[in-house]
Amino acid sequence: MLLSAVDAAAQVEEPQKEDGKTWSFSYLGHLGFQPGVKVGLEMPLMGKPSCALPEDMRTWIIRPQASIFTNPGDDQNLLINVETGIRKPISGKNAYRIISFGLGYLTQSKLQFFSVNLGNGQTDNKQRVSYHSLLPTLNYEYGWATHRKVSWFSKLSLGRRLFGSNEDTMLLFVELGIKLKLKKN
């Protein structure tokens, strides 16, 4: 009987600890329809990093991110940014919301002109020009967990290009994605 108890105790796995880091992968659309992708890493700054946060537990987070999006046939964009904000669980639901501020570097490669061969209809001599600007953003994210390590989210971001050689414009981004929690080894 003692040997069977030792054998049963040896089969019980020790729960793996979470380190609070979460990878996010999402569809990013400038104005919702210029397609792109975004990859980010969310890390807690203060507060207890846990899936089952108490109702009043807020967590400060920081998120480095990289994304690309395009307006097919016109421009290609690369955005590297960092967001910081507060994550708050929604009481009575397995959901959360995040309000954050971001600061990023946006580079845009815009098609300036090209020539068309009238004999065969092919385009050649494509000339592009690059624009660089600073992009501060205000972000709102709503997410819900479908599993302990997996959650889905939707996000709206509003930003304004600053200090660029291109036009000074407001930008609206829509994101839909998934977050995956990491485990400590």
Side-chain angles (χ1 to χ4, degrees):
M1 187 168 192
L2 180 61
L3 291 176
S4 65
V6 169
D7 189 23
Q11 292 179 2
V12 175
E13 292 183 23
E14 183 177 314
Q16 294 187 356
K17 297 179 182 176
E18 297 172 4
D19 64 359
K21 293 181 182 173
T22 306
W23 284 97
S24 64
F25 305 94
S26 61
Y27 163 82
L28 172 74
H30 173 239
L31 300 175
F33 60 85
Q34 293 181 6
V37 293
K38 186 181 229 181
V39 176
L41 179 64
E42 183 178 304
M43 299 172 284
L45 288 176
M46 294 180 265
K48 182 180 177 185
S50 171
C51 281
L53 290 172
E55 302 297 332
D56 60 346
M57 183 62 174
R58 294 180 178 167
T59 306
W60 286 91
I61 58 166
I62 188 166
R63 293 193 278 205
Q65 301 168 331
S67 58
I68 56 172
F69 59 96
T70 184
N71 185 0
D74 187 24
D75 59 58
Q76 299 167 347
N77 302 275
L78 171 67
L79 175 62
I80 298 172
N81 69 322
V82 175
E83 293 177 6
T84 185
I86 189 164
R87 176 185 175 124
K88 178 151 180 15
I90 297 175
S91 61
K93 297 181 181 179
N94 199 12
Y96 66 90
R97 66 179 163 249
I98 296 175
I99 297 176
S100 61
F101 297 97
L103 185 61
Y105 167 74
L106 176 67
T107 180
Q108 180 182 51
S109 174
K110 195 162 187 73
L111 185 61
Q112 190 171 16
F113 65 86
F114 60 91
S115 61
V116 178
N117 183 337
L118 296 176
N120 59 14
Q122 293 182 353
T123 60
D124 55 358
N125 296 330
K126 292 182 180 180
Q127 297 293 320
R128 293 190 166 270
V129 63
S130 292
Y131 299 107
H132 309 277
S133 57
L134 196 61
L135 182 65
T137 58
L138 174 62
N139 313 290
Y140 176 78
E141 179 179 322
Y142 177 82
W144 59 98
T146 56
H147 187 267
R148 185 171 174 165
K149 305 290 180 204
V150 178
S151 61
W152 299 89
F153 69 94
S154 61
K155 181 176 169 184
L156 290 174
S157 300
L158 182 64
R160 182 176 178 185
R161 276 189 224 183
L162 299 175
F163 309 118
S165 54
N166 200 359
E167 68 269 1
D168 184 11
T169 59
M170 296 292 286
L171 301 173
L172 176 66
F173 295 102
V174 176
E175 265 184 80
L176 300 170
I178 187 170
K179 290 187 177 183
L180 305 171
K181 265 207 179 290
L182 299 178
K183 299 176 186 177
K184 277 188 180 178
N185 293 331

